[in-house]
Amino acid sequence: MDQKKIIIIGAGVVGCSTAYYLSKMGQRNITVIEQGPLFETGGSTSHAPGLVFQLNSSKLLTTLANQTVECFKELSSDEKPSFHSVGSIEVASSPERLEDLKRKAGLAASWGMESFILSPEECEEKCSLINSENIYGGLYVPSDGIAKPLRANEKMAEFSISQGAVFYSHTEVTDIDVVDSQIKAVETTAGRFEADIVICCAGFWGPRIGEMAGVTIPLQPLAHQYVFTNDLQELADETEEVTAPLIRDQDRAMYYRQVFKGLGIGSYQHRPLPVEIREITKYGETKEMPSVKPFTPEDFEKPWQDSLKLFPALTQAGLKRGINGIFSFTPDGMPLLGESQNVRGFWVAEAIWVTHSAGVGKAMAEWIINGVPTLDLELCDINRFDTYALTPSYYKKRSMENFEKIYDIHHPFVTPVTSRDMRVSPYYLRQKSLRAYFNERSGWEQPQWYGENDSLVAMYKKNILEHKGWAAEYWSPTIEAEHLHTKKYVGLYDMTATKKRLEISGEEAVEFLQQLTTSNIDISVGQVTNTLMLHELAGIKDEIRVIRTGVSTFLVLCTGAVEASWIKRQLPTSSRVMIQDLTAGICGLGVIGPKANDVMQSLAPEAFTSKVWQPGQAKELFIGNVTVLAVYDSYLGTEGWELFTTFDQGLQLWDQLVESGQPYQLIAVGDRALENLRIESLKLRSGKDFWSEHSPYEVGLHHMVDLNKQTFIGKEALLERKDGGPKLLAITLELNDPSMVVMGYEPVFDEDTAVGFVTSAGYAYHLGKGVVHVLVLPEAVKASKELSIEYFGERYTAKIIRESVVTV
C-alpha cells in the first residue's frame, strides 16, 4: 500500500472514525491533530445527546446510520457500551403526521429496516411516560438507540494508535501550506507536519480550516436547545442510563431521551440562532466548552409547555439546566465530503451528526485508499456546489431555512424560499410573463409549469388523471395538460438547467474521452452519441451526451457539478487537453413533439429540411441572426431538437421559436411535464434511477458498452461484475389500478417480502396507468411477473412490463 502522510484535523467522532477505518484498511502514517483535549474535545461531539434515528428519506443517510450503529455495537463492552439499543418512537400529534409515518414505514421497508406503526396505546406501552390521549399513533424502529460517541472515540483511537497513528491534543492548526494547488504541510502550535493528504474533520470550525487551504466550506454553525430535567418520580428505580426508547415529536420539533432518572429534551422549535466562527471561544477560555452557548430560556417556554402535554410527569420534575449547543448546517442539509477540486490532497468530512459518523469514516477511508467509496456519495460531495452557492449570503440563509424546516413533513417538490434567483436563463422574463411556477435546480430558476397553460386543462380534462392526497401537493393539472399537448403538438422547453456543458478540446481530446467512456467516441464531426462514464469499480458515474463539433473539439453534456469535477479530475496534469465549463455562457432550448420538425422548417426552411438531417446529427447554423448548435434526435419517444446558443442571443431565439410555432400550437412546457414524458417513454435518468453503485448490466444500459475497446476506466472491474451477475435489476412496472399514481422510494414487494424500491414514478397516458421504474433483487424478477407497491400503508398490485429498460 502507498503509505501517504495523512493529517486529520479534529479528534471528534468523525476524525476518530476516519482514522479508525484508515487504520483498519492498512494505512499507517496517520497524524490526528486536536485543539482541545482527547476525547471530550469541546466540539459538537462533546455535547451531542447521542440519539440515533437511522431512518431517513435519503437511502444514503440511512445506510451511513446503519453502518454507524453496527460499528458502535462492535466497539461496545458490557461495562462500557458505545451504543444502547433501546429503539425509537416517532409520535404523531396530528392526523397528517400519522399518514407521513405510514409513508416513512414504507421507506424503512425500501431501505431494508424493520419498523412498526403503533396505536396511541401501543406507544404508551413502549414508553409509560407518554400521554397517549394527545397523540394519534407512532412509528417504532427497534434498532435505533443512544450512541456514546466519546466511548467510541477512545476505542477507535486505541486501535488506530496500536496501528501506528499518532494523536496530538491541545494543538492548534495555524496554517496550511499549499503549493501549486497541492497540499504540502500543516503548520501548528506544535510545529510543522508534512502532508500528502489533509482531512478536515474540524466540525463547525471547518470553514476556518478551509480558508487556510483556500477552500470554501459552505457550512453555517447554529445553536440548538437541549435541556436536562430533574429526576422524575416515575424513574426513581432506574439504575441504567437509558432503557426507554427515544421519542421524537416532529409536529412540535422536539425529541426526548432518558438520562438515568430524568429526561434530556431537544428543541428545534425556536428561532434560528446563527453563530459566527469568530464568536466561538477556544477550549479553556470559558467555563463551558466552545460548542456550548448560554441557554436562552425565553426560547424554551413553548417547547416546555408542549413537553408537559406529551409527558405530564414533567410537571412535578421541572428543569435542571439547559444549553444552546452548536451544530453544523449546510445549504441542502447534507454532509460535505470528499477532495476539493481546487486543492489536491485537501479532503473534507464536515457537517456530520453522530448518527452518520462511523459510516462516513468508513466511506472516507475507502474513497482515499481505493479511489472510490462503496456507496455513492454524490449527494454529499463537497464539489456539488457551483460558485453561486459558495457565497455567504447564499449558504447562510439557506442553512438557516433548513434548520427551521428540519422536522417538517418534507415533500419532494417543496420549493426553497431563501436565496432564490441566483441563476436565471435568458428566457426568465418571458417565463415570468407566462406565469411560470418556478423551482430551483442547481441554483437555476426552472419553470415547473406555466399558468398561461391553465386554459389547456379544459381541452384535455377527459384524459387528465387527477392526483389526490400526497401526490396532489405541489401539483397542478396544468402539468398533465402540458404533457398531453406536447405529445400531440409541440412543446418548447428550457434546457439551460438540465446539464453541465463542458467543451473538451486539444490534440489528445479523442484519446482522453475514449479512456473516459464506455463506447466509441471517435465519431464524425457533427455526430452525437450517448455514452457512460464508469468509476474504477465499474459503477456508473454518469450517462453523458457527447457532440463532436470539430476535429479536436467536443461538447459534453453531463448531469451536474460533481460529474464535471470528476471529469476534470481524470485529466493528467501533463495533458494538453483543455476543459472549459461553458454552462454560464450557453443556454439551451428543446423543441419536442410531433410538430417539432414543422416548427423548425417554417423557421428556416433551407436549414431544417428533413432531407439533410439524420437522427444523432448536429450542425452549427443560423436561425435569423442567432448562431445555433442544433441537434436532431429522438427525444422522449418523439422527434425533437436541442438548440444551443450564447446567453446574449438566447432571448431572440426564444422569441423566434414562439412566433414560428404559433400555427403548430407550440406552447412553453415546464420540467414536470418533461419528467412525465421521460418516465412514460421508459427512459432512465442518471442519478435518479441508477447511480455509481450500479453497473450497466444491472440497469439495462449494456448497449452503451463496447468491450472491444482496448481500455476505459472501470473495464476490468466491469468484466468481473458481469461474470458475478447483478445484485439489483432495473425494471418497469405498470400499476394495475388505473387511478393510482405513486411518488418514488416506495417499497416493492414479492408477496410479503420487500425486494426493492421505486426510483421514478409517473403516469403513462398511452397505457392509461401509472408506471414506475424500480430497482429490485434479481430473484424477484425470476420468481414472479406480478409484484406490489406499498403506498401509505396500502398495497397495490403491479405487473412487469419491461425487464431491461433501454434508452430511447
Side-chain angles (χ1 to χ4, degrees), residues 456-457 459-465 477-490 594 667 669 673 676-677 680 763-766:
L456 295 175
V457 174
M459 182 188 305
Y460 296 104
K461 189 171 184 179
K462 291 182 180 179
N463 301 96
I464 288 175
L465 176 72
T478 304
I479 297 168
E480 314 302 313
E482 291 180 357
H483 176 165
L484 291 165
H485 191 88
T486 302
K487 288 182 64 173
K488 188 175 182 180
Y489 297 105
V490 58
I667 63 168
V669 297
N676 282 348
L677 284 165
E680 183 178 26
Y763 194 78
Y765 279 96
H766 72 285

Side-chain angles (χ1 to χ4, degrees), residues 394-564:
Y394 175 88
Y395 69 76
K396 288 177 180 291
K397 291 178 183 177
R398 187 62 66 83
S399 297
M400 284 190 277
E401 181 180 349
N402 284 330
F403 174 92
E404 292 180 295
K405 294 179 176 179
I406 192 168
Y407 277 178
D408 286 359
I409 296 174
H410 294 282
H411 194 278
F413 292 118
V414 67
T415 58
V417 175
T418 59
S419 301
R420 295 296 297 269
D421 296 338
M422 299 295 293
R423 308 171 96 179
V424 295
S425 76
Y427 327 120
Y428 181 61
L429 293 179
R430 296 290 187 268
Q431 293 164 346
K432 290 190 76 173
S433 70
L434 295 173
R435 295 186 289 126
Y437 178 90
F438 290 97
N439 204 338
E440 183 194 79
R441 181 169 180 171
S442 300
W444 296 97
E445 293 298 316
Q446 186 175 48
Q448 303 301 289
W449 67 86
Y450 292 89
E452 196 69 20
N453 294 330
D454 290 350
S455 59
L456 295 175
V457 174
M459 182 188 305
Y460 296 104
K461 189 171 184 179
K462 291 182 180 179
N463 301 96
I464 288 175
L465 176 72
E466 191 73 22
H467 291 202
K468 299 176 183 178
W470 179 252
E473 295 186 32
Y474 304 97
W475 172 85
S476 168
T478 304
I479 297 168
E480 314 302 313
E482 291 180 357
H483 176 165
L484 291 165
H485 191 88
T486 302
K487 288 182 64 173
K488 188 175 182 180
Y489 297 105
V490 58
L492 179 65
Y493 175 61
D494 182 359
M495 304 176 65
T496 306
T498 59
K499 296 288 184 181
K500 269 280 192 180
R501 295 170 285 281
L502 305 179
E503 183 180 81
I504 299 179
S505 61
E507 294 179 7
E508 300 171 356
V510 173
E511 290 78 6
F512 173 66
L513 286 168
Q514 290 284 44
Q515 177 70 8
L516 196 71
T517 62
T518 59
S519 53
N520 181 29
I521 299 301
D522 196 6
I523 53 180
S524 302
V525 174
Q527 292 297 304
V528 183
T529 188
N530 286 5
T531 186
L532 303 175
M533 300 187 301
L534 308 183
H535 60 47
E536 291 84 346
L537 300 182
I540 302 172
K541 192 65 184 175
D542 197 14
E543 178 185 351
I544 63 174
R545 195 162 174 82
V546 180
I547 306 167
R548 191 165 192 173
T549 58
V551 174
S552 302
T553 307
F554 297 81
L555 182 65
V556 173
L557 310 179
C558 62
T559 295
V562 172
E563 292 77 15

Side-chain angles (χ1 to χ4, degrees), residues 55 88-90 92 97-106 108 114-120 122-123 126 136-142 790 792-793:
L55 184 57
S88 73
I89 303 173
E90 291 190 43
R97 182 66 67 173
L98 182 60
E99 287 302 300
D100 188 56
L101 293 182
K102 293 176 183 177
R103 181 185 66 88
K104 290 188 73 173
E114 187 179 40
S115 71
F116 305 92
I117 294 292
L118 304 181
S119 68
E122 289 172 324
C123 291
K126 293 284 185 187
Y136 290 82
L139 176 68
Y140 177 59
V141 178
E790 184 176 292
F792 285 87

